[in-house]
């Protein structure tokens, strides 16, 4: 017989329970949740997808559970390493490790959105290594005209939908898609509300917690994530505290391979309030609501991607000025500086970085840069670097 | 695309060897290249517009139809590598904040730009009037031109070529490319050129391309003979120079490829092998297929490692990054924009990994190769990510063992001569043991985990 759980102490953090659940989801990449969902929904598909953006409402409308597969984190990589040269980033190794170790057995399909050549080629590796699992490369358009890139993107979504239907997903029904869009919009607004708290009262919502609560949604239906977000927001509203003497920073460059949780904590311990980041960019990639009233909800999903996709390294900027979007984020967040954190060997982030740094130089925004891998285990160097940066920013601010 | 391969000897010995060893086609190619750079040097005074673009999926015929002159930054980078300048250029870019982790072509090009943008003839390259971002088979291309956009005050136009992830070109993929040509690329070129596209001229260019393409296929297929009259990798990068770069669609390209074909036919009839940096190749002990780009900073050393062991390359995938002509594609003047789309979609690096495995398997079988070697370059994830799986898959399918070498495109820090030579020799010794029955048949080499460190030797 199990001993009853001890009641929470009177002064316990009101967000403790919801954070515990979020961390539990993070620790196994949401795979236990996906397995439970599949048990409750026999015949339905769990659709894994890689960073950055995937059309989750479409998967939900097909009766599928979208599962963000953002690498294996700091899990031991044994066989995955033997598939990649030393100069390839870490996320494909750990993802392949999840695959070859059987951890992704419950994932019925994998979608690889276009982000870089490594993830692109990983889609082909998946086809070769796991011939029984549907592996789709989702080629997102870099031309944003509706009649050009829009038509292509729509065809891509229809192709993948049709392939999933052939494997047991529900037929693509406009009303189910509309309902999924409504829920996705609500989830996105909740994430924005979370962002507001981080900006206005960072002591109430540290970035490490926001990250856990956000990433936990990777393996949840939007409605379930919305509930989790609501619970967390309600809980942190009860917190008592006061602002800390930290510098406010925007963290950018970590949109694909995720840094270890300890790295985010280290930045906080070094005196940085991370008031905005791109760690889970995919969930807020569409800037604004998707039109849930549109006669053609699939068209609305396409239009949202074309017209309101977030600026990130894997998206062509056309005539826009590189760095403007980051600068807007810095200003909206009233940040004192920028932390460029890119995964080692991440071509998109590392090729973008000098351009973004130049834009920050031009605007007089201080920044610091470092690289990491998802399994980085030592943080003291980064902590010292971030600490020196936050000290320098404070000194800069107090200079006459 | 070795347009300016130099033999690694003293200058006098080099000139003597060149005079002795050069085929007429090589002399012609050299003259074509020299003329092209002369035109580029005079472009501004002659009022000709200059388009910077990339090799895979390039739109040379369209550029030619507008009378514009192409500049290909990858070619500039590899030429800098061969001239021993890339190390300094890369260092210059890294001083400017570019990571050691990223593509050395990009950094070499940027370093060259910041060092005066001198072309191979020693004169500054003209600034672009248009950056034509043909986004085919390489993500880095997009970032590269975003970086160049900040350096030049000129328009950029993007042609996004979808990836052949399923091994097929769908109607939607083709339509997408054609619509971009109609809606974005051609209008942008018309604005820069100040004139409408001359469709008749484009058709004429495409017609000429197909003739040159016929000829290069004959050259590739000559390697099925024993001995092979060509080296389809080290020599092959000379052969693809004109057709991958500025000359497709020109009369010069036809003349070059028809001349080359005759020379190759002559060598085949006489039972002769190809030229190497040290003269005609002797006994061909090993017929190899090679996957991946070559190293450019030590190109001739790399070639010699193969040639001195009697290893001739009978087919390679790098020489298909600008088109898989040997599997049937030809530019079709009857459908000008559709054929440009098909061309862009069909480049080797735009093929999925399973399709690349299929192609390599065909090459191993059709060219009766004794083995295959993968040269994995640090700079190019488009090629490199997945190559270790490719090797295992090919070994499984063909029973032929593979060799794995690591280097880089133009970063000299990543060419470890002794290490590479050791690996190649060990690999060939293993092939020899198999041939002599000292090693079990159809047994793959254990995959050695790659080790790559800057300055490794």
């Amino acid at each position: 017989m199990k001993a009853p759980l001890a009641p929470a102490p009177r002064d316990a953090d009101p967000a403790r329970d919801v954070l515990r659940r979020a961390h539990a989801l993070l620790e196994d990449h949401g795979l236990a949740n996906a397995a439970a969902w599949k048990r409750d929904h026999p015949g339905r598909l769990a659709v894994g997808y890689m960073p950055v953006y995937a059309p989750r409402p479409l998967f939900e409308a097909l009766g599928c559970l979208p599962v963000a597969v953002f690498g294996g984190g700091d899990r031991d990589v044994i066989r995955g390493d033997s598939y990649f040269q030393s100069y390839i980033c870490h996320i494909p190794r750990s993802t392949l490790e999840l695959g070859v170790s059987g951890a992704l057995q419950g994932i019925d399909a994998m979608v690889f959105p276009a982000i870089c050549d490594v993830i692109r080629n990983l889609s082909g590796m998946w086809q070769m290594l796991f011939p029984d699992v549907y592996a789709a490369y989702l080629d997102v358009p870099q031309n944003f005209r509706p009649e050009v890139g829009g038509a292509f993107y729509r065809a891509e979504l229809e192709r993948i939908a049709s392939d999933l239907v052939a494997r047991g997903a529900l037929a693509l029904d406009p009303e189910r898609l509309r309902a999924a869009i409504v829920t996705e919009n609500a989830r996105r607004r909740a994430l924005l509300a979370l962002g507001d708290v981080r900006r206005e009262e960072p002591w109430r919502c540290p970035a490490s917690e926001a990250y856990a609560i956000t990433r936990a949604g990777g393996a949840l239906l939007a409605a379930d994530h919305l509930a989790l977000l609501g619970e967390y927001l309600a809980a942190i509203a009860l917190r008592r505290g006061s602002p800390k003497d930290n510098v406010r920073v925007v963290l950018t460059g970590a949109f694909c391979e995720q840094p270890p949780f300890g790295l985010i904590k280290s930045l906080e311990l070094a005196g940085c309030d991370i008031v905005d980041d791109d760690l889970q960019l995919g969930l807020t990639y569409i800037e604004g609501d998707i039109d849930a009233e549109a006669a053609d909800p699939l068209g609305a999903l396409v239009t949202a991607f074309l017209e309101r996709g977030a600026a990130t390294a894997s998206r062509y900027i056309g005539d826009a000025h590189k760095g403007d979007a980051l600068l807007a984020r810095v200003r909206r967040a009233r940040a004192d500086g920028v932390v460029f954190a890119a995964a080692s060997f991440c071509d998109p982030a590392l090729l973008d970085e000098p351009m973004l740094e130049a834009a920050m130089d031009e605007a007089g925004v201080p920044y610091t840069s470092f690289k990491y891998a998802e399994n980085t285990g030592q943080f003291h160097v980064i902590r010292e670097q971030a600490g020196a940066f936050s000290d320098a920013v404070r000194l800069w601010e107090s200079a006459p | 695309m070795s347009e300016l391969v130099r033999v690694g000897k003293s200058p006098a010995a080099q000139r003597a060897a060149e005079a002795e060893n050069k085929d007429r086609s090589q002399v012609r190619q050299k003259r074509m290249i020299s003329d092209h750079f002369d035109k580029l040097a005079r472009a501004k005074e002659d009022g000709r517009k200059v388009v910077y673009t990339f090799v895979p999926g390039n739109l040379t015929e369209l550029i030619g139809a507008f009378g514009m002159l192409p500049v290909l930054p990858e070619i500039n980078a590899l030429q800098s590598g061969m001239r021993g300048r890339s190390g300094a250029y890369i260092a210059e870019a890294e001083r400017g904040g570019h990571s050691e982790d990223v593509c050395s072509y990009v950094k070499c090009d940027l370093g060259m730009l910041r060092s005066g943008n001198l072309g191979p003839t020693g004169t500054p390259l003209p600034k672009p009037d248009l950056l034509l971002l043909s986004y085919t088979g390489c993500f880095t291309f997009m970032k590269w031109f975003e970086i160049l956009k900040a350096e030049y005050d000129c328009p950029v136009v993007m042609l996004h070529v979808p990836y052949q992830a399923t091994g097929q070109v769908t109607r939607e993929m083709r339509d997408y490319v054609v619509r971009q040509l109609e809606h974005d690329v051609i209008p942008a070129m018309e604005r820069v050129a100040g004139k409408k596209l001359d469709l008749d001229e484009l058709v004429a260019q495409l017609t000429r391309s197909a003739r040159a393409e016929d000829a290069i296929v004959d050259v590739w297929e000559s390697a099925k003979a024993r001995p092979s009259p060509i080296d389809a990798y080290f020599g092959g990068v000379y052969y693809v120079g004109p057709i991958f770069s500025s000359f497709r669609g020109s009369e010069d390209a036809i003349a070059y490829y028809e001349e080359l074909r005759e020379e190759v036919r002559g060598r085949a009839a006489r039972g002769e092998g190809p030229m190497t940096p040290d003269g005609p190749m002797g006994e061909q002990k090993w017929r190899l297929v090679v996957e991946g780009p070559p190293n450019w900073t030590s190109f001739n050393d790399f070639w010699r490692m193969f040639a001195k062991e009697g290893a001739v390359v009978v087919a390679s995938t790098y020489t298909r990054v600008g088109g898989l002509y040997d599997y049937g594609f030809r530019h079709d003047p009857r459908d000008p924009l559709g054929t440009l789309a098909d061309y862009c979609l069909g480049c080797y690096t735009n093929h999925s990994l399973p399709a690349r495995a299929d192609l390599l398997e065909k090459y191993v079988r059709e060219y009766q190769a004794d083995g295959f070697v993968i040269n994995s370059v640090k700079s190019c994830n488009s090629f490199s990510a997945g190559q270790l799986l490719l090797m295992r898959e090919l070994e499984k399918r063909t029973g032929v063992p593979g060799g794995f070498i690591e280097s880089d495109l133009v970063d000299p820090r990543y060419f470890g001569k002794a290490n590479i030579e050791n690996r190649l020799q060990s690999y060939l010794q293993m092939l020899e043991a198999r041939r002599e029955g000292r090693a079990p048949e159809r047994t793959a080499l254990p995959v050695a985990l790659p080790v790559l460190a800057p300055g490794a030797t």
Side-chain angles (χ1 to χ4, degrees):
Chain A
M1 187 177 145
K2 279 184 179 175
L5 284 174
R10 191 177 293 273
D11 59 349
D13 177 11
R16 192 183 67 168
D17 287 346
V18 65
L19 281 169
R20 191 188 292 160
R21 275 181 279 135
H23 278 284
L25 282 163
L26 247 67
E27 275 157 22
D28 83 332
H29 314 286
L31 295 172
N33 179 69
W37 180 87
K38 285 187 67 175
R39 275 196 303 276
D40 294 344
H41 300 83
R44 299 281 187 85
L45 307 179
V47 178
Y49 70 90
M50 294 208 66
V52 176
Y53 169 77
R56 291 180 61 113
L58 177 67
F59 300 147
E60 290 204 22
L62 295 166
C64 303
L65 174 69
V67 180
V69 180
F70 279 27
D74 58 2
R75 177 192 179 104
D76 281 345
V77 172
I78 299 163
R79 293 165 67 189
D81 268 339
S82 70
Y83 290 94
F84 294 99
Q85 301 90 320
S86 56
Y87 45 82
I88 305 282
C89 57
H90 202 269
I91 186 171
R93 302 161 193 279
S94 63
T95 304
L96 212 53
E97 182 75 23
L98 290 173
V100 295
S101 67
L104 297 180
Q105 242 170 4
I107 301 296
D108 304 288
M110 277 290 283
V111 175
F112 299 82
I115 170 172
C116 71
D117 294 330
V118 172
I119 300 297
R120 184 197 71 180
N121 288 8
L122 185 61
S123 71
M125 295 176 77
W126 219 266
Q127 290 171 33
M128 291 163 76
L129 287 167
F130 310 108
D132 297 333
V133 176
Y134 174 62
Y137 180 69
L138 171 58
D139 212 347
V140 296
Q142 299 291 358
N143 179 297
F144 304 108
R145 289 179 193 274
E147 71 279 22
V148 183
F152 171 72
Y153 186 46
R154 186 184 183 104
E156 280 288 279
L157 296 182
E158 286 173 341
R159 171 179 69 85
I160 290 174
S162 162
D163 289 347
L164 289 172
V165 169
R167 284 160 178 80
L170 303 179
L172 180 54
D173 172 71
E175 292 315 309
R176 260 203 309 272
L177 180 55
R178 191 185 309 284
I181 287 172
V182 168
T183 318
E184 185 65 32
N185 284 341
R187 181 242 294 270
R188 189 183 159 281
R189 284 195 290 268
L191 286 168
L192 292 185
L194 183 68
D196 288 344
V197 179
R198 287 175 67 186
R199 276 194 299 276
E200 299 309 319
E201 297 175 293
W203 59 268
R204 197 184 286 282
C205 178
S208 51
E209 287 186 12
Y211 175 65
I213 290 290
T214 305
R215 192 172 170 190
L220 297 176
L221 293 173
D224 295 335
H225 193 207
L226 181 61
L228 190 83
L229 283 160
E231 197 177 333
Y232 176 73
L233 286 166
I236 60 174
L238 302 175
R239 277 180 175 162
R240 283 169 297 190
S242 55
K244 296 175 183 166
D245 183 24
N246 287 346
V247 296
R248 297 166 64 89
V249 300
V250 170
L251 183 145
T252 191
F255 43 82
C256 179
E257 182 175 322
Q258 300 288 285
F261 192 73
L263 189 149
I264 300 169
K265 289 289 289 181
S266 295
L267 292 177
E268 290 173 343
L269 292 169
C272 296
D273 280 338
I274 305 167
V275 288
D276 191 8
D277 63 65
D278 60 359
L279 291 162
Q280 288 289 301
L281 180 64
L283 290 174
T284 52
Y285 183 83
I286 304 297
E287 296 179 332
D289 278 357
I290 304 165
D291 184 0
E293 305 298 321
D296 169 20
L298 186 61
L301 203 58
V302 169
T303 302
F305 179 88
L306 297 177
E307 295 179 355
R308 295 196 304 283
T312 189
S314 58
R315 186 179 171 102
Y316 181 55
I317 62 164
D319 291 329
H321 182 252
K322 184 62 85 172
D324 282 356
L326 176 59
L327 201 55
R329 282 171 55 200
V330 168
R331 289 186 173 142
R332 192 181 61 222
R334 303 189 307 282
D336 304 304
V338 172
V339 173
F340 289 102
S344 294
F345 303 107
C346 174
D347 273 353
L350 291 170
L351 286 161
D352 239 24
E353 202 171 295
M355 293 185 276
L356 296 173
E357 287 176 351
M360 295 307 105
D361 280 334
E362 205 174 305
V365 176
Y367 56 84
T368 189
S369 312
F370 59 79
K371 291 188 288 189
Y372 65 86
E374 60 183 350
N375 64 342
T376 299
Q378 297 289 330
F379 307 117
H380 65 275
V381 173
I382 287 172
R383 186 171 167 179
E384 281 175 15
Q385 183 182 338
F389 176 67
S390 68
D391 289 346
V393 169
R394 283 196 201 93
L395 284 171
W396 184 324
E397 279 179 339
S398 59
Chain B
M1 288 106 353
S2 142
E3 295 190 1
L4 288 179
V5 175
R6 302 274 167 86
V7 179
K9 298 179 174 179
S10 71
Q14 181 177 311
R15 279 193 297 278
E18 280 181 352
E20 189 182 334
N21 294 336
K22 260 198 188 349
D23 289 324
R24 277 181 303 144
S25 64
Q26 278 182 282
V27 175
R28 180 186 292 277
Q29 183 178 152
K30 192 170 180 183
R31 191 176 66 240
M32 286 160 64
I33 292 162
S34 174
D35 288 349
H36 181 68
F37 281 100
D38 285 346
K39 285 178 194 165
L40 284 171
R42 296 195 315 269
K44 298 301 172 192
E45 60 192 88
D46 291 349
R48 296 190 73 174
K49 301 297 183 185
V50 174
V51 179
Y52 283 23
T53 193
F54 293 110
V55 170
N58 64 29
L59 300 170
T60 304
E61 294 85 355
L62 197 56
I63 294 169
F66 279 106
M68 296 174 170
L69 294 169
V71 170
L72 299 141
E74 306 115 292
I75 306 254
N76 296 342
L78 74 86
Q79 286 174 341
S80 297
M82 298 184 92
R83 286 182 291 146
R85 295 184 184 171
S86 56
Y89 290 157
I90 289 167
E92 173 66 24
E94 289 181 358
R95 276 195 295 276
H98 290 269
S99 171
E100 190 184 310
D101 291 359
V102 301
C103 174
S104 58
Y105 268 178
V106 178
K107 290 184 288 187
C108 182
D109 185 44
L110 275 175
M112 178 174 138
L113 168 62
R114 287 170 189 174
S115 307
N117 216 21
L118 296 178
T121 54
T123 53
L125 290 171
K127 290 182 178 176
D129 297 291
L130 177 69
L131 293 170
L132 171 51
L133 170 46
S134 52
Y135 181 44
T136 304
C138 170
F139 170 81
T140 297
F141 285 162
M142 186 168 88
K143 308 317 292 178
W144 194 338
F145 269 22
E146 284 181 355
I147 293 168
L148 286 193
K149 177 173 174 275
E151 303 283 344
Y152 294 114
D153 181 23
C154 76
V156 189
V157 65
M158 149 80 97
L159 177 69
H160 174 208
V161 177
Y163 182 60
Q164 278 200 47
T166 61
Q168 289 176 330
V169 174
T170 62
R171 183 176 53 80
E172 289 80 9
M173 290 160 72
R174 193 174 192 265
D175 288 350
Y176 177 43
V177 178
V178 168
R179 284 183 194 144
Q180 289 176 81
L181 291 169
E182 290 169 342
H183 288 261
D184 295 283
V185 175
I186 292 171
M189 295 179 83
E190 287 177 339
R191 284 192 294 276
V192 169
K195 60 181 179 187
K196 301 296 282 182
L197 171 64
D198 179 344
L199 200 57
D200 291 339
E201 178 53 30
L202 177 59
V203 166
Q205 295 257 346
L206 294 167
T207 305
R208 290 192 288 267
S209 289
R211 278 184 62 191
E213 289 157 359
D214 280 341
I216 199 170
V217 171
D218 291 341
V219 170
W220 294 142
E221 295 194 337
S222 73
K224 290 177 179 169
R226 287 174 184 262
S228 169
I230 64 165
D231 184 291
Y233 185 54
F234 297 105
V237 299
Y238 287 90
Y239 304 154
V240 295
I243 208 162
F244 280 11
S245 62
S246 314
F247 302 100
R248 214 175 52 242
S250 69
E251 291 290 355
D252 274 347
I254 295 173
Y256 169 78
Y257 283 104
E258 291 186 345
E259 193 165 62
L260 174 66
R261 176 167 59 188
E262 288 314 304
E263 288 168 357
V264 169
R265 282 176 176 162
R267 284 206 296 272
R270 295 189 296 275
E272 292 173 0
M275 282 292 178
T276 74
D278 299 319
M281 185 169 188
E283 183 194 2
Q284 295 183 2
K285 283 180 69 180
W286 307 110
R287 295 168 62 82
L288 301 179
V289 169
V290 174
E291 145 79 11
N295 164 271
W296 299 110
T297 54
S298 301
F299 182 83
N300 284 319
D301 284 343
F302 195 27
W303 189 349
R304 284 191 183 97
M305 289 178 197
F306 285 73
K308 79 176 185 184
E309 301 290 340
V312 66
V313 181
V314 289
S316 67
T317 53
Y318 179 68
T319 53
R320 306 315 195 256
V321 293
L324 276 162
Y325 303 116
D326 48 342
Y327 282 91
F329 174 80
R330 297 288 183 280
H331 280 93
D332 182 356
R334 293 168 301 180
D335 178 11
L337 300 191
T339 201
L340 289 175
D342 291 336
Y343 170 68
C344 296
L345 287 157
C347 294
Y348 176 71
T349 44
N350 206 46
H351 283 244
S352 69
L353 220 59
R356 285 168 60 185
D358 291 345
L359 183 72
L360 280 159
E361 182 188 354
K362 277 187 179 181
Y363 282 162
V364 168
R365 294 188 192 285
E366 290 182 4
Y367 287 81
Q368 296 182 307
D370 302 300
F372 65 92
V373 171
I374 294 177
N375 181 42
S376 182
V377 296
K378 171 185 170 287
S379 275
C380 186
N381 287 339
S382 179
F383 259 106
S384 301
Q387 279 179 327
L388 285 162
L389 179 60
L390 263 187
M391 181 166 79
R392 292 176 200 185
E393 181 71 14
L394 273 179
E395 287 174 335
K396 191 171 71 183
R397 290 188 193 182
T398 64
V400 169
F404 203 85
I405 289 170
E406 289 178 293
S407 65
D408 189 46
L409 296 168
V410 292
D411 192 333
R413 294 172 294 186
Y414 293 94
F415 187 82
K417 186 177 175 186
N419 186 25
I420 291 171
E421 194 155 28
N422 274 343
R423 280 212 188 176
L424 182 66
Q425 286 173 348
S426 302
Y427 173 66
L428 295 175
Q429 282 165 10
M430 192 274 301
L431 287 186
E432 184 136 41
R434 279 167 53 94
R435 185 178 278 176
E436 293 171 355
R438 289 186 284 115
E441 280 298 308
R442 305 181 71 82
T443 299
L445 268 184
V447 176
L449 287 184
V451 177
L452 189 75
T457 55

